[in-house]
Amino acid sequence: MLHYIYDGSFTGFLTLVHRVLSEKRIPDRISGSDSYQPDLFSQDVIIEAEGEKADRVAEAIIKEISRKCYRAVYRCFLSEIDGFEKAAVKFIYRGFHSGERIYQDWTDPDAAFVRRAEKMVNRELHRYQGLLRFRMLESEILYAPYRPEHKISNLLAWHFSRRLAAERWIIHDRGRNIAVIYSNREWLEIPAEELKDLKFAGEEEQYQKLWIKFFESISIKMRKNLKAQSRFMPKKCWEFLIEKENNTK
Amino acid sequence: MELINKLEVLADSAKYDVSCSSSGSSRQNSPEGMGNSAPSGICHSWSDDGRCISLLKTLFTNSCIYDCAYCINRASNDRPRASFTPRQVAELTINFYKRNYIEGLFLSSGIKKDPDYTMEQIVETLRLLREEYKFNGYIHAKAIPGSDLRLIFEAGQLADRISVNIELPSRESLKNLAPQKSALDILNPMKNIGSRIGEARENRRKYRHAEKFVPAGQSTQLIVGASPESDYRIMKLADGLYSSYNLKRVYYSAFMPVKPDSRLPALKTPPLLREHRLYQADWLLRFYDFEVEELFSGYRANLDYRLDPKLNWALNNLDRFPVEINQADYHELLRVPGIGPRSARKIVETRQETRISYQNLKKLGPVLKRAKYFITCQGKYRAGIPFREDLIKVRVREQERGNDYQQASLFAGVQEEKKEGEKA
Ligand code: SF4
């Protein structure tokens, strides 16, 4: 049994794809280094991330298959749902034979997997574009903790880099404990342990209160519909939602 | 008064205005500025009534010199009054926006002192936001009826959307319920904004840097159920507004009694289902090429609230069905309940490559549970009953009864955040 182990990064993953393509063999198992569990019967191969190979694979996917498929693969990678690596690898492998049609192939289970994962990621991304909440820190940095299912911080950072271009901010994935920090049109991923001084600015509490007051005032009592509310804004997103966070405890 | 109390009073007074959509504009940020707007709109929260919150929706002031019978802010209504300053509104907007609470601002107002004074305050707020705070997020502002057209145009250069609310669907009702407002004061700015939008669009086609004017279009709101107009009259009015005033959206708002008045009907609950059906009918006009007359067959003056108007139309026109999925043209497909613009397009595209089987059809997106009564696929009719008017009517009504009423209450008021043209 062939078992590939990579470092869990997208670069590492694309390097792995490079290996698969050159050896023309799909491994039986793929693990990121954190989820790696040694297995007596498997032939473990550790794959080191190599930027140059990864770039070549990325270019080839865009050129030989399509940009749309590349986006789908990237989002599938971010989804981190069970089996995403293998489905994405098989999708790419097949894509090099059948071209962009692979994306529309309704009979291929891996294509279906990738499309579904992409959709889940896009949905969560769209949701948090609205539901992410920044808090102003004493250091005048905006700080947003959240706990997404998928690894969407980078995609969110792209969105906010255009919207809050002149601010400095941090998006903190509490589940994975990774933070994206932004300033001056650039952003970077760091382990969350490196964050310090997360003290709120003096005015922060006032704006939270104002927001909660607005949130309460804007609702029409005669049209009360909590079911619709939690359908659009499920409880799992309430943890860091200023207007709801006290309802979760 | 403390800022927080002002906000409470003024947001509370603004909430009956349903037009909270923030879509349809794409404004790019500048390097030193704040904000942009996403063409598809983003909801930032959902209030306890299940409606999407995307804008800081507030009045500038809820003081009003007028006394419109249906309005919570009418002069004779005894309630706390408050006014913001332009700077307060600007700072609230910026601080909410920074924290990602909102997509932008929706600023409306009661009429304090006189229409021009009020409009000046609104323009000043917009100017502060755009020029001083370099805010590039979404702004929807009200044009105050009766104010100077120059002020309204100034607001139009700063805002993404402008609306003038008609509120009452006929001159007679307006006279009866809002005696101090003249129909002309409402229609005149709408007409002028409409033609200016048309010009700006034309200019931008020629020169890329021509000035933007109300890029997300103008909208208006009609109150449903406060006055006796029929659905037919309301839809005719909406249709006229779309075609001759360059209107982007008409919003319908179920009347909610705020203070007993002998001129108003005594309703216990707002007519939400009616509101929902009007939105559906409006949708059919804008995205499904329906004519108003078609929705009111047999000279009915009101929609049949039991069924979705498209389904209702299909049941009344069964002689046009079933249509064959592999032959019907785009427009015929669009008329099938359960098939929307997107799936109709997909069907037409797919057909060019291959004949569509029932299995394939499922993947193209139509709601087959509905569509199956009105189509054949490769010549085969698969509704499970013979194609007979009486049988179909019974079956469809049964099927819709449960889910549609429920849906109506669930979706009432959240219409605005459905993506345009996606609904079947
Ligand atoms: S003018 Fe506007 S705010 Fe004043 S009472 Fe009439 S509808 Fe209400």
Side-chain angles (χ1 to χ4, degrees):
Chain A
M1 200 173 90
L2 183 61
H3 181 190
Y4 280 170
I5 300 145
Y6 74 113
D7 64 359
S9 71
F10 193 54
T11 307
F13 174 73
L14 290 177
T15 316
L16 185 152
V17 173
H18 187 274
R19 176 77 162 251
V20 172
L21 294 171
S22 51
E23 304 212 331
K24 297 196 169 52
R25 183 170 168 206
I26 296 198
D28 304 285
R29 256 181 77 198
I30 300 175
S31 334
S33 46
D34 332 327
S35 57
Y36 168 53
Q37 280 173 357
D39 174 341
L40 214 49
F41 304 102
S42 69
Q43 172 201 347
D44 291 356
V45 181
I46 293 180
I47 305 221
E48 301 280 354
E50 287 177 58
E52 201 189 313
K53 281 184 183 165
D55 287 348
R56 280 219 302 277
V57 169
E59 268 165 45
I61 294 175
I62 292 169
K63 222 170 120 227
E64 310 284 324
I65 313 177
S66 69
R67 187 170 293 276
K68 196 166 164 186
C69 286
Y70 179 73
R71 282 169 58 97
V73 165
Y74 180 51
R75 279 163 170 73
C76 173
F77 176 81
L78 297 178
S79 76
E80 300 195 334
I81 53 182
D82 247 8
F84 70 96
E85 288 123 332
K86 207 158 163 199
V89 165
K90 283 160 74 190
F91 175 80
I92 298 168
Y93 194 80
R94 197 87 48 81
F96 276 111
H97 293 282
S98 54
E100 62 179 336
R101 272 202 331 256
I102 183 82
Y103 189 82
Q104 299 293 354
D105 191 338
W106 307 103
T107 57
D108 185 322
D110 298 308
F113 186 105
V114 171
R115 278 195 314 266
R116 190 168 57 93
E118 180 188 22
K119 223 185 197 162
M120 287 165 73
V121 167
N122 284 340
R123 195 177 307 137
E124 187 172 53
L125 173 66
H126 185 73
R127 176 171 278 161
Y128 275 113
Q129 285 176 350
L131 296 184
L132 197 74
R133 295 284 178 264
F134 288 98
R135 286 112 170 115
M136 184 59 85
L137 302 179
E138 248 175 9
S139 48
E140 287 185 39
I141 295 173
L142 291 159
Y143 169 72
Y146 77 136
R147 199 182 297 279
E149 270 168 50
H150 311 297
K151 200 173 167 178
I152 55 172
S153 293
N154 256 308
L155 297 174
L156 271 179
W158 191 82
H159 171 77
F160 286 106
S161 71
R162 308 207 306 174
R163 175 159 288 208
L164 301 175
E167 309 295 312
R168 289 186 297 156
W169 41 260
I170 298 171
I171 297 174
H172 181 179
D173 181 335
R174 284 287 186 94
R176 296 176 179 79
N177 231 0
I178 303 173
V180 169
I181 54 172
Y182 170 98
S183 94
N184 235 334
R185 256 157 284 292
E186 277 178 21
W187 69 90
L188 161 94
E189 227 180 61
I190 59 166
E193 291 80 36
E194 292 176 21
L195 296 175
K196 36 190 166 314
D197 291 336
L198 298 178
K199 238 170 93 204
F200 290 168
E203 86 229 37
E204 179 55 26
E205 199 188 327
Q206 183 206 350
Y207 280 108
Q208 295 197 6
K209 279 195 182 141
L210 283 163
W211 171 243
I212 292 170
K213 185 55 84 188
F214 174 75
F215 178 79
E216 289 164 359
S217 308
I218 202 72
S219 150
I220 299 178
K221 313 253 155 358
M222 270 165 113
R223 296 179 84 142
K224 191 164 178 160
N225 194 341
L226 291 174
K227 220 161 134 194
Q229 181 189 43
S230 57
R231 224 180 58 125
F232 293 119
M233 195 163 75
K235 284 215 167 79
K236 64 179 181 210
C237 317
W238 290 8
E239 190 180 348
F240 300 102
L241 207 60
I242 311 273
E243 63 272 31
K244 280 286 183 194
E245 60 189 352
N246 291 326
N247 299 18
T248 50
K249 283 155 204 158
Chain B
M1 199 190 276
E2 291 269 337
L3 189 60
I4 195 159
N5 303 335
K6 281 193 188 179
L7 181 63
E8 180 172 15
V9 170
L10 293 169
D12 186 74
S13 305
K15 68 185 170 198
Y16 299 101
D17 201 315
V18 290
S19 49
C20 200
S21 145
S22 64
S23 59
S25 192
S26 64
R27 193 178 273 276
Q28 243 134 50
N29 198 1
S30 56
E32 74 287 4
M34 172 178 303
N36 57 0
S37 54
S40 63
I42 294 175
C43 284
H44 285 258
S45 193
W46 281 266
S47 50
D48 288 351
D49 52 19
R51 294 187 308 162
C52 155
I53 301 179
S54 83
L55 303 173
L56 167 57
K57 178 155 64 172
T58 180
L59 298 187
F60 186 83
T61 174
N62 69 338
S63 297
C64 194
I65 52 173
Y66 290 176
D67 200 40
C68 309
Y70 52 82
C71 177
I72 186 162
N73 303 315
R74 57 189 291 196
S76 65
N77 203 9
D78 180 24
R79 65 191 318 263
R81 305 281 170 168
S83 309
F84 280 130
T85 63
R87 181 141 331 251
Q88 282 174 330
V89 178
E91 291 214 327
L92 264 179
T93 307
I94 290 291
N95 275 291
F96 277 15
Y97 193 86
K98 248 186 213 171
R99 291 170 172 78
N100 203 39
Y101 300 164
I102 53 169
E103 264 321 89
L105 172 69
F106 180 176
L107 189 60
S108 177
S109 186
I111 301 177
K112 193 176 173 179
K113 285 197 192 138
D114 58 59
D116 279 347
Y117 171 82
T118 311
M119 198 63 214
E120 273 163 19
Q121 303 294 306
I122 292 180
V123 171
E124 176 58 12
T125 309
L126 269 47
R127 199 194 57 74
L128 273 180
L129 273 168
R130 292 286 195 229
E131 286 167 15
E132 200 176 310
Y133 293 88
K134 307 243 179 296
F135 178 67
N136 289 310
Y138 189 88
I139 298 181
H140 176 172
K142 276 284 156 58
I144 301 297
S147 64
D148 192 330
L149 207 53
R150 262 179 315 191
L151 286 169
I152 296 180
F153 277 175
E154 239 178 281
Q157 287 164 337
L158 297 164
D160 292 279
R161 172 170 286 189
I162 295 281
S163 56
V164 193
N165 279 4
I166 299 187
E167 310 286 17
L168 297 166
S170 75
R171 257 167 221 270
E172 307 87 80
S173 294
L174 209 58
K175 219 183 227 143
N176 183 23
L177 298 174
Q180 292 133 312
K181 269 196 240 169
S182 82
L184 216 63
D185 281 347
I186 296 168
L187 294 177
N188 210 25
M190 283 180 94
K191 194 165 133 207
N192 282 294
I193 294 169
S195 47
R196 183 84 186 259
I197 289 175
E199 276 166 35
R201 217 176 275 150
E202 194 56 36
N203 284 339
R204 281 178 72 83
R205 214 166 286 143
K206 286 187 225 142
Y207 331 95
R208 228 159 45 86
H209 295 292
E211 142 195 281
K212 275 194 179 178
F213 186 80
V214 197
Q218 77 165 321
S219 62
T220 191
Q221 171 176 284
L222 295 171
I223 299 176
V224 178
S227 51
E229 291 78 14
S230 65
D231 295 342
Y232 175 72
R233 231 174 131 186
I234 293 174
M235 291 319 296
K236 276 306 258 191
L237 174 63
D239 194 38
L241 292 171
Y242 284 129
S243 56
S244 37
Y245 285 2
N246 246 326
L247 237 75
K248 183 81 182 257
R249 283 296 301 268
V250 174
Y251 292 91
Y252 307 87
S253 172
F255 171 59
M256 241 159 302
V258 286
K259 183 182 170 213
D261 188 303
S262 61
R263 290 167 292 172
L264 291 171
L267 298 174
K268 267 206 218 69
T269 53
L272 291 178
L273 184 60
R274 184 178 178 200
E275 177 194 287
H276 178 63
R277 294 297 181 222
L278 283 169
Y279 271 115
Q280 290 179 316
D282 182 273
W283 215 274
L284 295 179
L285 296 186
R286 290 186 299 138
F287 301 112
Y288 289 78
D289 305 326
F290 271 83
E291 303 283 335
V292 176
E293 278 69 20
E294 291 180 286
L295 299 173
F296 297 89
S297 62
Y299 306 99
R300 291 179 62 110
N302 285 306
L303 296 166
D304 179 348
Y305 302 137
R306 290 169 303 176
L307 284 181
D308 162 343
K310 186 178 175 191
L311 197 54
N312 207 37
W313 174 84
L315 290 179
N316 289 329
N317 291 278
L318 275 176
D319 53 315
R320 301 208 191 190
F321 297 102
V323 299
E324 166 57 43
I325 288 293
N326 285 290
Q327 264 156 24
D329 68 26
Y330 175 76
H331 294 277
E332 289 167 326
L333 289 171
L334 207 52
R335 295 258 160 161
V336 175
I339 296 183
R342 202 200 269 184
S343 38
R345 225 173 305 125
K346 269 196 183 166
I347 290 171
V348 173
E349 276 166 23
T350 310
R351 232 161 45 181
Q352 287 167 350
E353 299 205 354
T354 155
R355 264 170 78 76
I356 298 175
S357 70
Y358 200 69
Q359 275 311 315
N360 291 338
L361 181 59
K362 280 187 189 157
K363 292 169 188 156
L364 298 176
V367 184
L368 283 178
K369 204 176 99 194
R370 266 191 190 179
K372 67 180 178 190
Y373 299 102
F374 305 96
I375 54 168
T376 59
C377 191
Q378 301 192 326
K380 204 158 177 247
Y381 183 69
R382 294 176 192 253
I385 49 171
F387 187 82
R388 259 179 43 199
E389 186 167 340
D390 50 343
L391 294 179
I392 292 177
K393 281 189 170 165
V394 171
R395 188 60 78 83
V396 168
R397 292 222 158 95
E398 228 164 60
Q399 181 177 308
E400 294 295 315
R401 194 166 299 137
N403 80 41
D404 206 51
Y405 267 101
Q406 237 175 5
Q407 243 187 29
S409 70
L410 195 64
F411 284 130
V414 289
Q415 290 289 345
E416 57 266 31
E417 35 112 14
K418 279 179 197 158
K419 281 224 188 94
E420 310 241 309
E422 264 189 11
K423 220 187 109 253

